[in-house]
């Protein structure tokens, strides 16, 4: 192996939250203490929403308590009842949100290069029971939103994007969150922009955004009348303060990830037993994950144990493919997702990860391939 500088023997996990300057956060909390307003659409939540809307040029970002609730709110707002087409290469929250809303997730396979929904395959799976399409921008890599929107139009179906990974991702240089009837994102600690726990529901339809605001707050309208089934989807001031403080570093975090992502790609590009997720020409990845696809599961196991022996812990996102959770879903085969799930590994990628660690990780992988 190359003679690289020793790194601290502290474990390296797949990610670590980006944390803001503690003084900035404390200052925001001082205001919370002074006002005594902890939740119920307080000033920091409103300011966080406005800043995100401005930064991403969105008409409305409704901040909520987490990304799973954001998906459920999207389904509730569109009053969906029936089957919702998803791809089976996703986190289990895509499935559970649909099931909690009394709908049925129907798993479709993915494109083996982008790892996003195979739109042609999806068309063959649409039946009279299909009520919506819910594609995922997997690892922040945008789906072919134009093909999906054409398909949705052809069959008169709404689209909800599971955009949990996609803050900072673009389509034709605009935020990809603008697409679909609704996009639902996550602001979890492991995401590019985090509020600890949190999420957001995005739509450009003003009626729909008002409805989402009501659903978030027990179904109350502005006059405190209850006009529909709502629940508690609120974000607190404490979480919004973390989001606001993190927004100061948003550009730096994006740029840092871009550099690290390309460093990984350069260092692994000669390794013929590894392939990378493909990004479409019109799509802009936010570099929130660095997945590698290995030639076999045995190869993956070997890489995982070689890295573990150096105290480095990548993560098998997403394994297994969600269609195989047979205790909660009727099994529909999706051979590409099932195969890729067994061979894909997300390597550590986060703001405080130093470049030497990336050199070291790539060195271990290249020497064990
Ligand atoms: N749709 C999709 C496609 C999603 O991927 C997700 C969530 C959702 C919907 C739902 O969004 P949320 O309801 O979660 O907002 C993580 C996250 O919990 C989850 O948000 C995320 N996707 C999923 C892909 O990954 P784990 O099981 O990887 O978390 P954990 O605790 O193992 O953390 C990974 C590493 O991060 C650890 O090794 C250490 C580090 N870490 C983690 C946390 C929580 C820290 O350093 N600090 C921390 O506070 O789930």
């Amino acid at each position: 192996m190359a003679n690289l500088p020793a790194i601290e023997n502290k474990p390296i996990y797949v990610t670590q939250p980006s944390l803001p300057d503690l003084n900035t956060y404390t200052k925001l909390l001082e205001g919370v203490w002074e006002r005594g307003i902890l939740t119920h659409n307080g000033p920091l939540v409103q300011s966080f929403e406005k800043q995100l809307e401005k930064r991403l040029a969105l008409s409305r970002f409704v901040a909520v308590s987490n990304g799973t609730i954001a998906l459920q709110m999207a389904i509730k707002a569109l009053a969906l009842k029936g089957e919702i087409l998803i791809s089976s290469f996703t986190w289990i929250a895509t499935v559970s949100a649909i099931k909690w809303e009394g709908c049925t997730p129907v798993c479709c396979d993915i494109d083996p290069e982008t790892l996003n929904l195979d739109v042609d395959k999806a068309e063959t799976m649409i039946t009279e029971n299909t009520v919506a399409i819910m594609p995922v921008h997997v690892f922040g890599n945008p789906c072919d939103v134009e093909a999906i929107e054409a398909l949705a139009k052809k069959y008169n179906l709404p689209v909800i994007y599971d955009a949990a990974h996609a803050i900072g991702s673009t389509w034709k240089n605009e935020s990809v969150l603008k697409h679909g009837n609704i996009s639902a994102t996550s602001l979890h600690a492991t995401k590019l922009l985090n509020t600890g726990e949190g999420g957001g529901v995005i739509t450009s339809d003003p009626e729909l955004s008002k409805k989402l605001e009501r659903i978030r707050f027990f179904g109350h309208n502005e006059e405190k009348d209850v006009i529909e089934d709502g629940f508690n989807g609120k974000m607190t001031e404490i979480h919004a303060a973390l989001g606001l403080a993190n927004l100061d570093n948003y550009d730096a975090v994006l740029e840092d990830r871009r550099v690290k992502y390309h460093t990984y790609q350069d260092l692994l590009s000669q390794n013929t037993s590894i392939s990378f997720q493909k990004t479409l020409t019109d799509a802009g990845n936010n570099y929130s994950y660095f997945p590698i696809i290995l030639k076999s599961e045995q190869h993956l196991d070997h890489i995982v144990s070689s890295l573990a022996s150096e105290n480095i812990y990548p993560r098998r996102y997403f394994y297994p493919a969600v269609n195989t959770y047979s205790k909660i879903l009727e099994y529909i085969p999706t051979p590409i997702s099932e195969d890729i799930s067994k061979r894909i590994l997300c390597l550590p990628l986060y703001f405080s990860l130093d470049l030497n660690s990336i050199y070291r990780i790539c060195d271990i992988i290249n020497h064990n391939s």
Side-chain angles (χ1 to χ4, degrees), residues 13-17 66-69 71 90-91 93-94 136 162 164-165 186-191 197-198 289 315 317-318:
Y13 296 110
V14 65
T15 194
Q16 283 206 331
N66 61 63
T68 310
I69 286 291
L71 286 169
T90 185
W91 185 247
T94 316
V136 188
D162 181 337
H165 305 173
S186 168
L187 298 161
H188 181 259
T190 55
K191 299 299 185 291
E197 288 278 359
Y289 294 80
R315 196 62 189 259
Y317 293 132
F318 301 108

Side-chain angles (χ1 to χ4, degrees), residues 240-256:
L242 188 53
L244 279 167
N246 268 328
L247 269 177
D248 286 353
N249 303 325
Y250 175 85
D251 290 330
V253 167
L254 256 180
E255 175 56 15
D256 176 77

Side-chain angles (χ1 to χ4, degrees), residues 14-51:
V14 65
T15 194
Q16 283 206 331
S18 300
L19 288 170
D21 171 53
L22 192 53
N23 286 329
T24 310
Y25 185 52
T26 313
K27 271 248 140 338
L28 287 162
L29 290 184
E30 280 170 10
V32 176
W33 260 239
E34 275 160 28
R35 287 184 293 275
I37 301 290
L38 299 186
T39 185
H40 287 192
N41 205 20
L44 295 187
V45 168
Q46 291 185 40
S47 165
F48 180 59
E49 289 180 340
K50 292 237 153 25
Q51 289 202 29

Side-chain angles (χ1 to χ4, degrees), residues 31-333:
V32 176
W33 260 239
E34 275 160 28
R35 287 184 293 275
I37 301 290
L38 299 186
T39 185
H40 287 192
N41 205 20
L44 295 187
V45 168
Q46 291 185 40
S47 165
F48 180 59
E49 289 180 340
K50 292 237 153 25
Q51 289 202 29
L52 264 178
E53 285 159 9
K54 192 164 170 222
R55 189 175 281 267
L56 302 175
L58 303 171
S59 9
R60 189 71 185 99
F61 183 101
V62 179
V64 297
S65 49
N66 61 63
T68 310
I69 286 291
L71 286 169
Q72 286 184 236
M73 287 175 58
I75 297 167
K76 206 176 268 305
L78 295 173
L80 302 176
K81 287 285 164 247
E83 295 181 356
I84 301 183
L85 265 184
I86 62 167
S87 63
S88 52
F89 188 67
T90 185
W91 185 247
I92 193 59
T94 316
V95 169
S96 43
I98 292 173
K99 291 193 68 184
W100 271 83
E101 290 308 314
C103 294
T104 307
V106 173
C107 291
C108 176
D109 219 338
I110 54 167
D111 175 278
E113 293 191 316
T114 63
L115 311 183
N116 288 324
L117 185 77
D118 177 335
V119 185
D120 293 334
K121 178 83 187 147
E123 179 160 16
T124 68
M125 296 183 72
I126 292 173
T127 69
E128 73 265 19
N129 299 324
T130 311
V131 293
I133 312 173
M134 195 195 276
V136 188
H137 302 299
V138 173
F139 303 139
N141 182 37
C143 297
D144 185 341
V145 291
E146 289 174 13
I148 289 167
E149 276 144 34
L151 178 68
K153 200 168 168 201
K154 184 170 170 188
Y155 292 90
N156 197 22
L157 292 169
V159 179
I160 297 170
Y161 282 106
D162 181 337
H165 305 173
I167 283 196
S169 304
T170 57
W171 182 264
K172 293 190 172 162
N173 298 319
E174 293 190 351
S175 171
V176 79
L177 303 181
K178 288 183 171 188
H179 289 272
N181 299 66
I182 301 182
S183 279
T185 195
S186 168
L187 298 161
H188 181 259
T190 55
K191 299 299 185 291
L192 187 138
L193 174 68
N194 85 80
T195 55
E197 288 278 359
V201 203
I202 301 102
T203 177
S204 53
D205 176 340
E207 288 297 312
L208 208 46
S209 64
K210 284 280 163 221
K211 190 169 186 183
L212 288 162
E213 286 167 24
R214 292 193 297 268
I215 290 171
R216 170 177 70 173
F217 200 62
F218 309 112
H220 283 127
N221 65 7
E222 276 155 23
E223 290 75 43
K224 292 275 178 197
D225 192 9
V226 174
I227 61 166
E228 57 201 317
D229 286 331
F231 54 34
N232 182 350
K234 291 166 276 147
M235 177 179 276
T236 74
E237 291 288 277
I238 314 294
H239 292 88
L242 188 53
L244 279 167
N246 268 328
L247 269 177
D248 286 353
N249 303 325
Y250 175 85
D251 290 330
V253 167
L254 256 180
E255 175 56 15
D256 176 77
R257 283 175 175 274
R258 191 187 66 76
V259 169
K260 287 175 179 158
Y261 186 102
H262 288 302
T263 303
Y264 266 128
Q265 240 180 8
D266 289 348
L267 294 169
L268 296 172
S269 62
Q270 301 303 315
N271 189 328
T272 51
S273 45
I274 289 175
S275 56
F276 305 119
Q277 184 183 27
K278 182 180 159 194
T279 299
L280 299 173
T281 315
D282 287 325
N285 200 318
N286 63 358
Y287 311 108
S288 52
Y289 294 80
F290 189 78
I292 55 171
I293 304 167
L294 297 149
K295 60 185 177 203
S296 65
E297 193 170 14
Q298 288 89 322
H299 185 204
L300 179 142
D301 288 341
H302 181 59
I303 299 282
V304 168
S305 57
S306 309
L307 290 169
S309 67
E310 301 275 337
N311 226 3
I312 300 165
Y313 304 97
R315 196 62 189 259
R316 296 184 73 175
Y317 293 132
F318 301 108
Y319 174 77
V322 295
N323 63 315
T324 63
Y325 284 112
S326 54
K327 292 196 180 89
I328 61 162
L329 276 184
E330 188 191 331
Y331 176 69
I332 300 171

